[in-house]
Amino acid sequence: MNSTNPSNAKQTPVYEVCDVTYRYRQVTALDHLYLTVGAGRRVALLGANGSGKSTLLRILNGLSFPDKGMVNFCGEPLTEEKLQDDGFGLDFHCRVGLVFQNPDVQLFSATVFDEVAFGPLQLRWPHAKIRQSISEILEMMEIAHLKERSPHHLSMGEKKRVALASVLVLDPEILLLDEPTAALDPKSESHIIDFLVQSKGRGKTIVTTTHDLGILEDIADDTFVFQGGRIVAGGPPSEILSNVALLKETSLLHSHLHIHKSGEVHTHPHLHQHKE
Amino acid sequence: MANRIPRGRGFLERTTASFVDALEHTFYAEETAGADGLLQRIHPRVKLLGILALIVPAAAARSFKVIGSLFILAVLLAALSQVSFGVLLKRVWIAVLLFTGVIAFPAPFVTEGRVIGRLPWLGWTFTSQGLVSAGYLVLRVETATTLCVLLVLTTPWINVLKALRVLRVPVVMVTILGMTYRYVFLMLETAHDMFESRRSRMVGELTGSERRRVAAASAGVLMSKTFDLSSDVYLAMQSRGFRGEVYLLDESRMQRFDWIILAGFTLVSATAFWWGR
């Protein structure tokens, strides 16, 4: 499956995932997976829970390594040995940022300021530059007032924004977002979506996992549908969203019982539709 | 928080209430640390050094006047820092008196010296030297604990940890303590939710063996969650460039006011040393 923009066809893809298999003991999370992510593309990985999306993000971030197959990053194999090298490892983590699904995992520092400072400090940025960058990113994410707060005092929406800020402060070329809008209230959700929409045209490559069909067309140029650790379909969001049979088969379509005014009770699927 | 549950209402209720109590204590401390008081305005490093400078003469002085004066100074600082006397009385003074009292209790009866009285019925004699020793112990501990509690109640915990750097505590230690502080709340909330959910599905009292089983099962689940969380946190650190070294960026800077206060603490400490020789 390929997400390379036709206009950048000759450019080396950011990621090439070739025949990757990954297992958690007896459970196969990724099963002979192929995927190419082109530079500057916004890619959505769509799939039900347990379909392997988060595992793939961890592999793309160099936190896990495939049992079989290989991943190329900007044309070079992404291996454990390579990432152990300080020069390559630090450069890679500066260029690729991962925002975890559970912000409590990511917010391990005692205050929001320390959290956002963690990455730049690891990359040995000068302290003046760190202060400047933190100040800018906190303003941009509208969380400057939370600077001295402890993460356990924040709401889920605030935690997600801090988690995003802690990665964005490094200004990565590639952003990997694991379910960025999961478990958010509508206001916090729209804040994250606004960021993803605004990031279009800034040249960043963004890979987002989600099972929220409603936001797909806003946050992605290309969509890949996951099922059982494999990609079963790929294409522009509009094409995927119009394939109701595929969405039903991959458990992505929301449907539940309805009681109509006439008293009739039946089930039908829901799909967010954009009006032109 | 309103769901305090009286003792004797059952194991799950008491456990849940103790979680709530623990959180309540912390919230009180954080609230006081944010108040507009004298100690809150002082730089954490100065506060740490200053409080230490007062504790040392309180522990070393051989005069009730000196230790008493330092205790009064601590009470004065509490008043100027909006720390409630009720909280100090309940959480520090009475608790310390009971705890240290148990340790000091035998001293009047076993210390040799001038006998000044006899316990009715038991007939045990007590000496003035023994009473003085017990008095010193209790007053020293009361003073030192009050000062320590003032530091903790008027300073956000993370700032206390960062201030420890002035005593050459390694960065890695400060970071680990900070992370522990951060995740203790998450685990406390998780444990609280686990007990609440069990309580919501229960009718009647648990027997002793059932309580032990619930406690063991909950501890096991919590431990497993802790392991999962710790490995995920490590990955999250790695993903932002962690390679085994930790660094700190301390934003706060000492002002002229802090230097004046530090000089004040030093002066008081030196005077107490000289007076209490």
Side-chain angles (χ1 to χ4, degrees):
Chain A
M1 295 287 173
N2 202 316
S3 86
T4 310
N5 188 342
S7 60
N8 295 336
K10 286 183 182 169
Q11 204 174 338
T12 308
V14 173
Y15 284 112
E16 288 169 291
V17 178
C18 309
D19 195 24
V20 161
T21 297
Y22 187 89
R23 289 190 187 89
Y24 292 103
R25 293 189 183 139
Q26 302 301 317
V27 181
T28 303
L30 297 175
D31 187 12
H32 299 285
L33 189 90
Y34 287 87
L35 174 74
T36 305
V37 178
R41 302 296 286 170
R42 296 181 311 153
V43 177
L45 307 180
L46 203 61
N49 291 335
S51 58
K53 311 181 300 285
S54 299
T55 304
L56 178 62
L57 283 199
R58 287 180 184 212
I59 289 175
L60 296 182
N61 197 229
L63 299 176
S64 302
F65 297 91
D67 296 322
K68 281 182 187 167
M70 63 184 293
V71 176
N72 284 335
F73 173 69
C74 294
E76 288 188 46
L78 189 63
T79 61
E80 202 165 357
E81 293 74 35
K82 249 185 166 169
L83 280 163
Q84 276 167 0
D85 174 69
D86 269 359
F88 180 84
L90 286 175
D91 178 61
F92 176 80
H93 287 302
C94 188
R95 293 174 67 188
V96 183
L98 169 65
V99 180
F100 286 70
Q101 181 178 354
N102 177 5
D104 279 320
V105 163
Q106 192 153 356
L107 307 184
F108 45 78
S109 301
T111 66
V112 168
F113 178 87
D114 291 332
E115 193 59 62
V116 182
F118 183 85
L121 281 170
Q122 293 299 314
L123 298 171
R124 328 270 163 86
W125 287 10
H127 285 190
K129 186 184 170 190
I130 294 177
R131 286 192 189 95
Q132 173 73 20
S133 304
I134 293 174
S135 172
E136 284 171 9
I137 207 73
L138 293 181
E139 285 295 332
M140 189 186 112
M141 299 302 292
E142 295 174 23
I143 47 173
H145 60 290
L146 305 175
K147 188 176 159 186
E148 298 301 330
R149 295 269 290 273
S150 178
H152 69 266
H153 285 312
L154 306 180
S155 69
M156 181 57 96
E158 289 170 338
K159 282 181 186 175
K160 286 257 186 185
R161 275 193 272 165
V162 175
L164 192 55
S166 71
V167 170
L168 288 178
V169 72
L170 298 171
D171 195 23
E173 294 163 35
I174 300 132
L175 258 180
L176 309 171
L177 308 174
D178 196 358
E179 306 272 6
T181 58
L184 288 185
D185 58 82
K187 191 182 171 195
S188 305
E189 185 179 345
S190 56
H191 198 280
I192 302 280
I193 295 169
D194 286 352
F195 163 77
L196 291 171
V197 171
Q198 284 159 8
S199 64
K200 187 174 185 174
R202 287 183 189 164
K204 286 195 191 300
T205 306
I206 302 179
V207 182
T208 311
T209 70
T210 185
H211 41 67
D212 187 349
L213 301 181
I215 63 170
L216 202 57
E217 285 181 296
D218 296 322
I219 66 161
D221 306 313
D222 310 297
T223 307
F224 299 104
V225 182
F226 275 61
Q227 190 180 32
R230 285 171 176 264
I231 292 176
V232 292
S238 56
E239 191 182 305
I240 298 293
L241 289 174
S242 62
N243 191 342
V244 175
L246 169 76
L247 297 176
K248 270 186 173 177
E249 193 190 314
T250 50
S251 308
L252 285 165
L253 211 51
H254 176 69
S255 72
H256 59 78
L257 284 174
H258 289 268
I259 302 175
H260 290 264
K261 280 181 184 169
S262 62
E264 185 194 354
V265 180
H266 68 183
T267 305
H268 63 76
H270 283 262
L271 187 58
H272 181 91
Q273 297 283 351
H274 275 278
K275 288 177 182 164
E276 289 302 321
Chain B
M1 288 187 208
N3 61 341
R4 189 170 297 207
I5 292 152
R7 286 194 161 274
R9 283 288 300 275
F11 163 72
L12 288 176
E13 284 86 347
R14 284 204 307 275
T15 311
T16 308
S18 65
F19 289 139
V20 173
D21 267 356
L23 289 171
E24 199 178 332
H25 279 290
T26 317
F27 288 134
Y28 173 76
E30 286 174 4
E31 202 176 291
T32 319
D36 184 21
L38 174 67
L39 285 176
Q40 287 88 338
R41 278 183 233 152
I42 301 171
H43 193 285
R45 252 177 266 159
V46 172
K47 234 185 300 184
L48 181 73
L49 290 174
I51 297 269
L52 273 178
L54 296 182
I55 287 174
V56 174
R62 290 189 211 147
S63 152
F64 276 113
K65 280 182 190 168
V66 173
I67 308 172
S69 302
L70 289 170
F71 181 75
I72 290 166
L73 178 64
V75 172
L76 201 65
L77 286 173
L80 293 171
S81 307
Q82 300 186 26
V83 175
S84 148
F85 285 159
V87 170
L88 284 179
L89 182 73
K90 203 171 77 176
R91 292 189 192 164
V92 184
W93 297 333
I94 292 176
V96 168
L97 186 66
L98 291 175
F99 183 74
T100 324
V102 170
I103 298 167
F105 180 74
F109 306 104
V110 297
T111 309
E112 286 183 6
R114 188 166 63 87
V115 176
I116 55 166
R118 185 181 292 272
L119 275 189
W121 298 300
L122 289 170
W124 297 353
T125 56
F126 49 90
T127 63
S128 62
Q129 284 83 348
L131 276 178
V132 167
S133 302
Y136 272 138
L137 178 65
V138 172
L139 194 55
R140 277 180 184 142
V141 177
E142 288 280 13
T143 308
T145 314
T146 306
L147 288 165
C148 285
V149 168
L150 281 184
L151 172 70
V152 174
L153 286 182
T154 59
T155 321
W157 184 236
I158 186 59
N159 293 348
V160 177
L161 293 179
K162 282 182 179 173
L164 289 175
R165 288 284 297 134
V166 79
L167 302 177
R168 302 283 171 215
V169 174
V171 175
V172 70
M173 187 76 87
V174 171
T175 307
I176 288 172
L177 286 172
M179 286 175 74
T180 309
Y181 179 71
R182 189 261 178 273
Y183 282 110
V184 130
F185 290 101
L186 192 67
M187 299 325 286
L188 207 57
E189 279 165 18
T190 308
H192 177 258
D193 290 348
M194 278 164 57
F195 275 87
E196 281 273 282
S197 73
R198 193 178 276 270
R199 195 157 70 95
S200 72
R201 286 174 284 148
M202 254 186 52
V203 180
E205 283 277 322
L206 290 175
T207 64
S209 63
E210 283 169 340
R211 284 178 202 174
R212 285 191 291 278
R213 206 164 35 243
V214 168
S218 305
V221 170
L222 207 57
M223 195 170 179
S224 153
K225 284 185 182 206
T226 310
F227 278 133
D228 288 346
L229 183 68
S230 62
S231 59
D232 281 349
V233 168
Y234 180 63
L235 289 181
M237 291 171 78
Q238 275 192 315
S239 83
R240 280 193 277 154
F242 176 68
R243 306 189 72 79
E245 292 283 329
V246 279
Y247 308 93
L248 271 183
L249 181 63
D250 194 356
E251 270 291 80
S252 56
R253 287 199 175 80
M254 283 172 56
Q255 309 292 322
R256 194 168 161 219
F257 169 74
D258 297 309
W259 289 107
I260 294 169
I261 294 287
L262 186 60
F265 273 127
T266 312
L267 189 68
V268 172
S269 177
T271 310
F273 259 121
W274 176 79
W275 191 19
R277 279 176 303 173

